[in-house]
Amino acid sequence: PHSEEVENMVLETTKGKIAGASFNFRPFYGSVEHEEYESSLSPYEALRLRQSLSLPLSRRSTLGFQSSQSFTHFQNTGEKQRFYDFMTQYRTPLGSFTFFNVEGGYRWQKGANIDLTLKTIRTYIEFRRGLLSFKVGYEFEDEDSGGDLRRDHYLYTEWRREF
């Protein structure tokens, strides 16, 4: 269509720069990233941090901890957003091709139009053979989004083939 036929055409011009660094000193991993997003609609600057620790408890069992933080400043409005995520994972074999997994996580987000607290626990049994895997599990979520409370229970299956 011709531009005179379109009444409310919005075009966004963007340009982004991301710089970061990471380190891996087993069992620790960490990274830092800075982003400058220049936009004609919603420019922002963000700082992101990630950390993890993976501990082998036996030859095949592991305990892991992960966390990430994100701090975003929107230049047009002056608004700020903060995101924090934490997760713990445990994995152990039940047999040659079968594993038991349990995970727990916490997410906290505050800022422009966001007020979220989310707690999650997930447990599943995974059957893995070659490139095929099958999971059967249970997940519980406890969410508080701006005062709206929600609790969900999920039973799920997952089939996967890796290529």
Side-chain angles (χ1 to χ4, degrees):
H2 295 81
S3 62
E4 57 265 64
E5 295 174 7
V6 180
E7 291 182 26
N8 294 319
M9 184 185 303
V10 176
L11 298 176
E12 182 179 18
T13 305
T14 64
K15 182 174 153 183
K17 298 178 212 165
I18 299 175
S22 65
F23 69 91
N24 193 356
F25 187 70
R26 292 188 185 209
F28 301 102
Y29 171 81
S31 68
V32 61
E33 177 180 284
H34 181 264
E35 178 180 13
E36 292 180 10
Y37 184 75
E38 298 175 18
S39 164
S40 58
L41 297 179
S42 185
Y44 65 85
E45 274 190 65
L47 175 65
R48 296 181 192 93
L49 308 168
R50 292 179 191 86
Q51 310 82 32
S52 69
L53 171 65
S54 182
L55 302 171
L57 301 179
S58 69
R59 198 181 77 137
R60 295 176 62 196
S61 296
T62 58
L63 179 63
F65 303 94
Q66 297 175 341
S67 68
S68 63
Q69 304 83 39
S70 177
F71 309 94
T72 306
H73 176 253
F74 294 91
Q75 282 116 358
N76 282 357
T77 62
E79 295 173 338
K80 295 181 180 182
Q81 292 181 343
R82 296 167 300 177
F83 294 4
Y84 300 91
D85 290 304
F86 303 96
M87 179 177 254
T88 302
Q89 304 159 313
Y90 174 72
R91 178 180 175 93
T92 191
L94 297 177
S96 298
F97 307 106
T98 309
F99 298 88
F100 171 73
N101 298 272
V102 64
E103 303 171 352
Y106 178 80
R107 171 173 288 169
W108 185 79
Q109 299 178 344
K110 292 278 188 206
N113 302 315
I114 294 177
D115 182 9
L116 173 73
T117 302
L118 176 66
K119 294 170 258 181
T120 304
I121 189 159
R122 176 184 312 118
T123 185
Y124 59 92
I125 294 176
E126 179 180 15
F127 306 93
R128 180 176 286 276
R129 181 79 186 223
L131 300 175
L132 298 173
S133 68
F134 171 73
K135 293 180 186 178
V136 59
Y138 166 76
E139 183 173 327
F140 171 74
E141 288 186 350
D142 182 12
E143 180 179 322
D144 179 352
S145 181
D148 294 329
L149 304 177
R150 191 184 86 199
R151 288 198 168 117
D152 292 315
H153 302 268
Y154 302 98
L155 294 174
Y156 67 93
T157 60
E158 177 183 311
W159 294 85
R160 181 176 292 194
R161 172 151 184 338
E162 296 177 13
F163 294 92

